[in-house]
Amino acid sequence: MTTGVPQLESALVVPPAAAQVTDPVTVPLSTRRPLSPSRASDFMQCPLLFRFRTIDRLPEVPTPAAVRGTVVHAVLERLFDLPAHERTAERACSMVEDQWRELLDREPRVGGLFPEETTGPGTAEGLATWLAGARRLLQRYFDLEDPTRLEPAAREMPVEIDLTDGLHLRGIVDRLDVAPGGAMRVVDYKTGRAPSELFESKALFQMRFYALVLWRLRGEVPRLLQLVYLGSGDVLRYAPDEADLLATERKVRALSDAIERNRATGDWRPKPGRTCTWCDHKALCPSFGGTPPPLPEV
């Protein structure tokens, strides 16, 4: 495992001719609820949080950091629609405001982050500062990668498979690179800072999850998992093997079993921790004197 800011190794630079994705394997859907890496992480963090998000589907207030991440991801996805020679930092930064406007059209509630912008003329100072922060993250991306030398096989790629015992896994891969020889690199962009060594394994769980799905779909273990942290300019790389992915599959099965048991019993106990500080649902949590709403009828 390595971290740092060097340019990415050329062994996985993909020429346009190699940037093809085979059709996904068709598999029967399970009656068990699908499990994604984000929902699995919610359950590991706090079963009650999982319930609030997945079963109750309680609304959450969008934060400037989360919305900025959405905009930056959209720019990085669309950057590769451009001819290679046009993939410059200046062009990427010029796309930020358009992507913000598109997001605002799709989800008007994010306009509440900058009410002065939506109710008055001109560009609000708060919005301008926020947009500048998104552009700084994109500038840092160009310190870490040269997108003119990449032709991703897929971007924002849905992946899903139904394994044995009704375990249905799904997720969305930010970027998949495939080398001419078939070696796969799974890339995920993070707009925050790289985690400490204590939390590295949690960060890599999502990537192992994607690698497991791709392995089961395509019959080949991805060569490299790569987390790109734009907030701090770090790159976390990990080369998985079959043993890693078998262990991940066992873990995911155990999580799915635990979730199904909780569904059957209705027991969604909170798991207080440091992340409670910024939880949207503290007022409903018994750990803070709240009462969860009645479980929805199935």
Side-chain angles (χ1 to χ4, degrees):
M1 184 182 303
T2 59
T3 58
V5 295
Q7 291 293 332
L8 303 184
E9 53 277 88
S10 59
L12 284 174
V13 171
V14 186
Q20 303 297 324
V21 180
T22 57
D23 292 335
V25 176
T26 301
V27 292
L29 296 180
S30 168
T31 56
R32 183 179 287 213
R33 282 77 165 182
L35 187 62
S36 68
S38 56
R39 297 292 77 84
S41 294
D42 285 346
F43 186 78
M44 288 188 287
Q45 178 181 320
C46 174
L48 186 58
L49 175 64
F50 175 94
R51 180 204 140 168
F52 285 155
R53 285 180 169 169
T54 307
I55 299 176
D56 298 286
R57 298 185 181 277
L58 299 181
E60 296 185 351
V61 178
T63 66
V67 176
R68 182 166 52 229
T70 300
V71 169
V72 169
H73 274 73
V75 171
L76 290 174
E77 179 188 1
R78 287 159 178 76
L79 182 68
F80 289 98
D81 290 333
L82 301 173
H85 69 276
E86 293 183 23
R87 297 171 197 161
T88 64
E90 293 74 18
R91 184 65 181 274
C93 289
S94 74
M95 298 164 68
V96 167
E97 189 159 356
D98 286 344
Q99 292 307 313
W100 157 247
R101 296 297 176 193
E102 285 189 22
L103 178 62
L104 188 60
D105 287 342
R106 293 195 309 271
E107 299 185 36
R109 68 186 184 127
V110 302
L113 295 171
F114 308 103
E116 66 275 28
E117 167 66 9
T118 56
T119 58
T123 299
E125 181 179 355
L127 176 60
T129 300
W130 181 85
L131 292 171
R135 295 187 184 104
R136 282 194 298 273
L137 293 174
L138 289 165
Q139 289 277 4
R140 188 166 288 141
Y141 166 75
F142 284 82
D143 294 334
L144 303 173
E145 282 194 319
D146 179 1
T148 66
R149 300 178 64 241
L150 296 168
E151 292 296 341
R155 292 161 281 145
E156 295 296 315
M157 180 179 72
V159 292
E160 64 180 294
I161 191 170
D162 199 43
L163 301 177
T164 57
D165 303 327
L167 181 60
H168 183 195
L169 307 181
R170 71 182 182 190
I172 299 178
V173 173
D174 282 353
R175 197 180 89 210
L176 180 68
D177 299 334
V178 181
M184 292 182 287
R185 173 172 59 191
V186 184
V187 180
D188 195 73
Y189 308 116
K190 301 294 185 186
T191 49
R193 302 183 65 82
S196 65
E197 290 186 9
L198 184 63
F199 295 100
E200 266 188 11
S201 61
K202 181 179 179 181
L204 282 169
F205 170 76
Q206 173 189 17
M207 303 302 284
R208 288 191 178 101
F209 188 108
Y210 292 144
L212 168 63
V213 175
L214 288 167
W215 177 39
R216 291 307 193 192
L217 283 172
R218 301 187 174 201
E220 183 174 347
V221 174
R223 177 77 58 83
L224 191 67
L225 310 178
Q226 185 161 285
L227 283 156
V228 181
Y229 288 94
L230 302 177
S232 57
D234 293 298
V235 177
L236 177 62
R237 300 182 179 93
Y238 184 79
D241 57 26
E242 288 193 11
D244 286 326
L245 301 189
L246 287 171
T248 299
E249 186 170 340
R250 289 192 295 271
K251 181 173 184 175
V252 170
R253 286 185 187 282
L255 287 170
S256 179
D257 289 343
I259 289 168
E260 293 305 316
R261 284 196 298 271
N262 285 19
R263 286 185 190 275
T265 63
D267 184 2
W268 300 99
R269 299 181 188 181
K271 184 179 176 182
R274 290 194 301 176
T275 54
C276 294
T277 303
W278 52 86
C279 180
D280 279 313
H281 311 299
K282 286 174 67 173
L284 298 174
C285 179
S287 295
F288 296 90
T291 302
L295 279 163
E297 293 185 7
V298 178

